[in-house]
Amino acid sequence: PAVLPSRHRLAPPPPTAQAPSPPAAEAAPPSLTSKQRTSLRSLAQRKLSAGTLTSVALGAGGASDGFLEDLRLALRDHEVVKLRMGAAVEKKSEAKALAKELAGDMLRHPEGAVHVVQVVGHTALLYLDKTDMKTKKVVV
């Protein structure tokens, strides 16, 4: 995996008083199929045309706690979110790695798993696959 410059890495969790217990074997969420990705890209394009696609911009300072909270809320409310990383990454290849890192951090989202649908240039499309069907707005 690509190593991001230190300014892009997420802050490590605060140290705990006890020795950390071994992590529980978390099952990785199933990845999206190509049909699902196509459907989500199509939905995002329709939302963009209608002016309803939610966009979150990552500043040059990197992923702060406030930014991560804003991203969590946007994903919870809209499920499909455009993530703009303009000044936060220098190369387009860094954008893909950063989007995967952010989605990986968001895997602990209380409502479901976060997937990177696509990365084009310095922009990524993220999707929250909610587990609660009552609050789910996007079904792929």
Side-chain angles (χ1 to χ4, degrees), residues 26 68-69 71-77 102-114 128-133 135:
E26 290 182 27
L68 292 174
E69 186 59 30
L71 184 57
R72 281 188 188 95
L73 291 175
L75 283 165
R76 184 196 69 200
D77 294 341
L102 286 171
D105 181 56
M106 293 288 170
L107 285 176
R108 293 182 290 279
H109 197 289
E111 296 189 32
V114 177
L128 172 62
D129 189 10
K130 288 187 175 180
T131 54
D132 183 10
M133 294 304 285
T135 60

Side-chain angles (χ1 to χ4, degrees), residues 29-140:
S31 61
L32 297 172
T33 65
S34 61
K35 222 173 198 181
Q36 290 171 321
R37 288 181 192 279
T38 301
S39 174
L40 288 167
R41 284 194 304 264
S42 174
L43 173 69
Q45 186 60 42
R46 287 192 310 269
K47 284 182 163 220
L48 182 65
S49 296
T52 59
L53 182 62
T54 302
S55 181
V56 178
L58 178 61
S64 66
D65 290 338
F67 166 79
L68 292 174
E69 186 59 30
D70 288 346
L71 184 57
R72 281 188 188 95
L73 291 175
L75 283 165
R76 184 196 69 200
D77 294 341
H78 303 283
E79 295 181 31
V80 177
V81 174
K82 180 194 283 190
L83 173 62
R84 293 176 173 247
M85 299 174 273
V89 292
E90 294 173 10
K91 295 183 179 180
K92 293 178 184 180
S93 59
E94 289 178 5
K96 193 171 198 174
L98 182 58
K100 284 184 179 182
E101 184 178 345
L102 286 171
D105 181 56
M106 293 288 170
L107 285 176
R108 293 182 290 279
H109 197 289
E111 296 189 32
V114 177
H115 300 277
V116 178
V117 177
Q118 77 175 14
V119 178
V120 177
H122 293 151
T123 304
L125 185 64
L126 301 178
Y127 166 64
L128 172 62
D129 189 10
K130 288 187 175 180
T131 54
D132 183 10
M133 294 304 285
K134 292 178 183 175
T135 60
K136 193 170 192 160
K137 297 175 187 173
V138 178
V139 179
V140 290

